[in-house]
Amino acid sequence: MTVRVLVADDQDLVRTGLSMILDAQPGIEVVGQAADGHAAVELARRLGPDVCLVDIRMPGLDGIEVTELLAGRDVPDPMAVVVITTFDLDEYVHGALRAGARGFLLKDAGPKLLVQAVHAAAVGDALIAPNITRRLLSTLAARQPSRRPAPPYEPLTAREEEVLALVARGRTNAEIAADLFIGLTTAKTHVASLLTKIGARNRVEIAMWAYDTGRVGD
């Protein structure tokens, strides 16, 4: 299956470079390019890509606003958005993830991590640059939640609690399967059950809920 990608960045060289890297990969096709936020939203809604790669700072609408419009909590059919930026700022990371992004990368992350993030977003996983992940999880562990997190719709099983802890620490489905000696399909099923039971949109929100409920700490 080919992953169809929309690339949105206001810098021509960056947009072209990202598109060339992705188009050169087997199983990835860049189906559109946008130079500003409004064009990104319009193209995404018209083309229906599997993944939208969006720069954080663009004219018109910025990357967080674009993410909110394409993947926000009120969007009936949210798209997979990966935010990419040159600016390693906590406010951008948190803003993008709260808006519904499935990934957050710095532009110097390299082609390998870029491709991994696109593939991860396409299958519902979340990939965040490792240095950002460590700081984000540390911040989550230290902060007080702004509101009391809602309890799960149904109690979590013992196995789901184990999977929850691993997701909160940034493990992929394959790593969870290996850590718990279960099949990959079984790991995916447990993650899907967690999403339903706690009302999360993605793995990042699973992690936030785990920290907010005190199930995972530093």
Side-chain angles (χ1 to χ4, degrees):
M1 171 184 166
T2 298
V3 179
R4 303 170 65 253
V5 180
L6 170 70
V7 177
D9 194 296
D10 64 326
Q11 297 182 44
D12 292 342
L13 284 176
V14 173
R15 188 174 64 252
T16 301
L18 293 171
S19 298
M20 289 177 65
I21 290 170
L22 293 174
D23 263 334
Q25 305 301 315
I28 296 180
E29 177 190 4
V30 175
V31 296
Q33 297 184 35
D36 62 68
H38 289 293
V41 172
E42 189 277 325
L43 272 178
R45 289 173 173 169
R46 177 157 55 87
L47 299 175
D50 300 305
V51 177
C52 301
L53 185 65
V54 178
D55 182 29
I56 201 81
R57 297 181 72 171
M58 293 186 295
L61 298 171
D62 66 27
I64 293 175
E65 292 171 314
V66 170
T67 302
E68 188 71 46
L69 288 170
L70 298 180
R73 189 169 290 279
D74 297 329
V75 177
D77 189 16
M79 295 183 177
V81 177
V82 174
V83 173
I84 186 167
T85 180
T86 55
F87 302 94
D88 180 11
L89 299 178
D90 284 344
E91 62 188 89
Y92 287 159
V93 178
H94 294 143
L97 299 180
R98 280 197 305 268
R102 288 192 195 168
F104 191 101
L105 294 175
L106 298 179
K107 290 181 181 177
D108 62 1
K112 182 178 180 181
L113 202 59
L114 172 64
V115 172
Q116 288 176 349
V118 167
H119 280 299
V123 298
D125 283 348
L127 191 152
I128 307 169
N131 60 321
I132 294 174
T133 299
R134 287 191 294 270
R135 195 178 68 239
L136 175 65
L137 296 185
S138 176
T139 301
L140 287 173
R143 75 183 175 93
Q144 293 295 321
S146 57
R147 58 183 173 81
R148 186 176 180 85
Y153 296 128
E154 296 178 32
L156 304 186
T157 66
R159 179 62 90 187
E160 286 169 348
E161 292 280 4
E162 292 178 317
V163 173
L164 174 73
L166 292 173
V167 171
R169 291 187 169 93
R171 300 289 198 276
T172 65
N173 286 337
E175 289 169 338
I176 290 170
D179 287 349
L180 298 180
F181 302 101
I182 59 178
L184 179 58
T185 300
T186 302
K188 290 179 178 178
T189 299
H190 286 313
V191 172
S193 179
L194 286 172
L195 290 168
T196 299
K197 285 186 175 183
I198 69 177
R201 293 172 295 176
N202 52 54
R203 299 167 78 92
V204 174
E205 290 193 354
I206 291 178
M208 290 181 175
W209 187 86
Y211 279 98
D212 285 347
T213 57
R215 283 167 161 81
V216 181
D218 243 350

